Amino acid sequence: MIADVIAVVLLLAVAAYACAGGTDYGAGFWDLTAGGAGRGARPRWLIDHAMAPVWEVNNVWLVFVFVIMWTGFPTLFQTVFSAMWLPLALAAIGLVLRGAGFALRKPIRRIAGRRLYGAAFALSSLLTPFFLGAAVGGIASGRAVPGTEASAHAWSNPTSVLFGLIAVVVTAFLGAVFLARDAVRFGAPDLVGYFRRRALGSIVALAVLAAVMLTVTRTDAPHVWHGLTHGVGLGLVILAGVCSVATGWLLLRRSGAWSRVTAVGVVAAAVIAWGAAQRPYLVPTSLTVAEGAGAPGSLRWTGLVTVVAAVLVLPAVAFLYWLDTHGELEPLSDTDLRRTEPAHDDPTELN
C-alpha cells in the first residue's frame, strides 16, 4: 500500500517538474528562435526578466524526483540509469550549461561572451528536455528492463524519439503561454501578440504529435497505448484535450486571463495520464510497483520526508510563485536604489 502511495508522489513530482521546469525550458526555446541581435532583443529582454526570480527554484522538483526514485524504488533507479546513462548524462550537462549560460550572459560586457553564453542557454534548453523525454520513452516502451545494459536501442527507438519531440513542444507551449501573460505584466503590448501566436502554433503542433504518439505506441508500446485509450488514462487524455482547447480560446481573448492555469492543466493531465497508463508497472511490463519498491523502512522514511516537505516546502514554493506572477519580485531599478539610499543631510546621522 505504501509503495503505491510513494509511486503516486513520484508521478506528481514528475508532473510538477514538467510544468514548472518546462516553462523555463520553453523560454529558452523561444530565446533560441528569437532571431538575430536586433530582431530578438525585445523577446530576450522579456525572457530574462520573466525567468530571473524562479528559474533556480524549479529544479527543486527534479531533485525531489531523483530522491524518491533512489530511496523509494532503487531497482527502477538502477535500471534507468544503467540502461540510459548517456541521454541522462547529456541532460545533466545541459542543465549545467543552461544555468551557467543564463546566469553569466547578462553581466558579461563583451558581445562575443554574451553570444557564447546565450547560445549555451538556448541550445541546452532544447536538448535537455529532448533527452529527458527520450528517457521517459525508453521506460514507457518497456525497453529499459532490469538488467539491461546501456544501449542506444533503449532511448533511440520510435517511442523515445517521439516523447523527446513532445517534451520539446510541450516546453515551448508552456513558455509561450507564460511569456504572453508576462508581456502584459511588464507593459510590453508588442510582445503579447508575439507570444500568443507562438502559443497557438504550439498547441497545433502538440495536437499533431499527440495523434502520432497514439499511432506509434499502439505497436511500439502497446501496454501504454491501451492505458491511454481506456479507463482513467483515457479520461485524463480527454481532460488534457479540453484544457488545450480552453487555452487556445483564452489566448484569443483580449485579456488571456487563466490561460496559464489551463496550460498547466494540459501538461499535468498528460503526465498523470502516462503514469496511469503504466499501472501497475514502473517499467511495462517487467517491473511492477511492488517489485521495484525498496525496503519497508525506506518507504516509511520516504513517506515521512514527503509529508515534511509538503508542510514546509510546498507552501514556500507556492508563495514564491504567487509573488512572481503578481509582479512582486521585480529587480530594483536605479531609481529604486536611489530612493533607498539614506539621506546624509543631517551630519549627526554620520556618527
Side-chain angles (χ1 to χ4, degrees), residues 164-180:
L165 293 176
I166 289 176
V168 171
V169 174
V170 161
T171 60
F173 162 66
L174 283 172
V177 171
F178 274 68
L179 286 168

Side-chain angles (χ1 to χ4, degrees), residues 31-227:
D31 187 291
L32 178 66
T33 59
R39 186 163 62 93
R42 287 282 289 167
R44 291 189 179 103
W45 165 83
L46 179 63
I47 289 168
D48 283 343
H49 282 73
M51 282 185 58
V54 296
W55 69 276
E56 292 175 294
V57 177
N58 292 330
N59 288 324
V60 169
W61 302 111
L62 183 61
V63 174
F64 195 46
V65 169
F66 287 153
V67 169
I68 294 178
M69 283 182 62
W70 183 23
T71 58
F73 304 100
T75 303
L76 174 65
F77 187 89
Q78 179 184 12
T79 298
V80 170
F81 279 82
S82 297
M84 297 182 290
W85 70 267
L86 181 57
L88 292 173
L90 292 173
I93 293 172
L95 279 170
V96 174
L97 292 178
R98 182 176 177 274
F102 182 73
L104 297 176
R105 72 173 179 175
K106 289 185 287 185
I108 294 295
R109 296 184 178 276
R110 296 179 60 182
I111 297 298
R114 287 189 177 183
R115 288 177 176 173
L116 175 62
Y117 287 117
F121 163 69
L123 289 173
S124 299
S125 297
L126 175 67
L127 295 178
T128 299
F130 175 82
F131 285 122
L132 290 176
V136 170
I139 297 172
S141 60
R143 287 178 168 86
V145 300
T148 301
E149 296 183 356
S151 170
H153 177 67
W155 59 274
S156 62
N157 54 81
T159 300
S160 291
V161 172
L162 190 57
F163 271 46
L165 293 176
I166 289 176
V168 171
V169 174
V170 161
T171 60
F173 162 66
L174 283 172
V177 171
F178 274 68
L179 286 168
R181 290 296 301 159
D182 286 327
V184 175
R185 177 161 58 93
F186 282 97
D190 56 314
L191 295 177
V192 175
Y194 177 91
F195 283 110
R196 281 186 179 180
R197 290 190 296 271
R198 282 153 178 77
L200 291 170
S202 299
I203 292 175
V204 174
L206 189 57
V208 171
L209 285 175
V212 175
M213 182 268 294
L214 288 176
T215 303
V216 170
T217 54
R218 183 168 187 172
T219 56
D220 200 54
H223 182 83
V224 169
W225 176 84
H226 184 272

